[in-house]
Amino acid sequence: RVMNDANYQQFSWVFNKRPVQFMFDPSDNIVLKQGTTTVGIIDEQIIKGYFRLFQNHPNPAQNQTRITYELVNPSVITLEVIDILGKVVKSYVYSARPAGMNSVDLDCSALPSGVYYYRVKAGDVMQTKKMFITK
């Protein structure tokens, strides 16, 4: 159990085994005007052996932001931008990118201010990070 008593708190846990269930406020005791919960399980061995996704820069972004990732092997890359409701608002497929550091300059000028996620998929592995857009 954790105390959620301020905005924008983040919690993380490390387990020896993969959890089978996560319950957030099962009794509906928290009163929210707007809120989100993001749950992810990262298998570091798979990701480190294939690719690594970095935080976009600048964050918060206004009209443009750079997304950088590192590939162990050349790979076709898919990039999706997802809004807070889970809707894919932009999607790009990039032909085989070389191994090493790569980056994509993302045009954010048509997106309204808010919280977004960007997901990069390389082969069968994907990673997601959060970004903010302000106007």
Side-chain angles (χ1 to χ4, degrees):
R1 291 182 181 222
V2 296
M3 176 56 81
N4 179 241
D5 56 358
N7 290 330
Y8 305 109
Q9 284 183 292
Q10 293 183 3
F11 303 97
S12 65
W13 297 269
V14 176
F15 299 98
N16 293 330
K17 295 181 180 178
R18 186 173 292 230
V20 293
Q21 185 177 27
F22 174 80
M23 296 177 70
F24 178 78
D25 193 24
S27 302
D28 293 325
N29 292 324
I30 299 174
V31 178
L32 297 173
K33 291 181 182 178
Q34 180 181 4
T36 60
T37 301
T38 305
V39 177
I41 298 174
I42 300 172
D43 189 341
E44 293 290 339
Q45 290 179 328
I46 293 172
I47 292 169
K48 286 181 182 174
Y50 203 75
F51 85 103
R52 187 166 65 161
L53 180 62
F54 297 92
Q55 187 64 50
N56 66 303
H57 181 76
N59 189 31
Q62 290 184 343
N63 294 319
Q64 188 170 346
T65 189
R66 176 167 286 179
I67 296 172
T68 303
Y69 55 92
E70 182 178 18
L71 295 171
V72 172
N73 299 307
S75 183
V76 173
I77 297 298
T78 303
L79 168 66
E80 294 178 324
V81 178
I82 303 152
D83 69 13
I84 196 80
L85 300 174
K87 179 182 173 190
V88 175
V89 295
K90 288 186 176 232
S91 182
Y92 307 93
V93 177
Y94 298 95
S95 59
R97 293 292 183 124
M101 297 297 283
N102 291 272
S103 63
V104 174
D105 289 327
L106 180 66
D107 179 11
C108 305
S109 60
L111 296 173
S113 295
V115 176
Y116 294 86
Y117 297 92
Y118 58 96
R119 178 171 38 210
V120 175
K121 182 177 180 185
D124 293 331
V125 180
M126 72 175 123
Q127 288 188 45
T128 304
K129 297 254 185 209
K130 184 189 287 190
M131 72 175 170
F132 300 92
I133 296 178
T134 59
K135 299 295 179 178

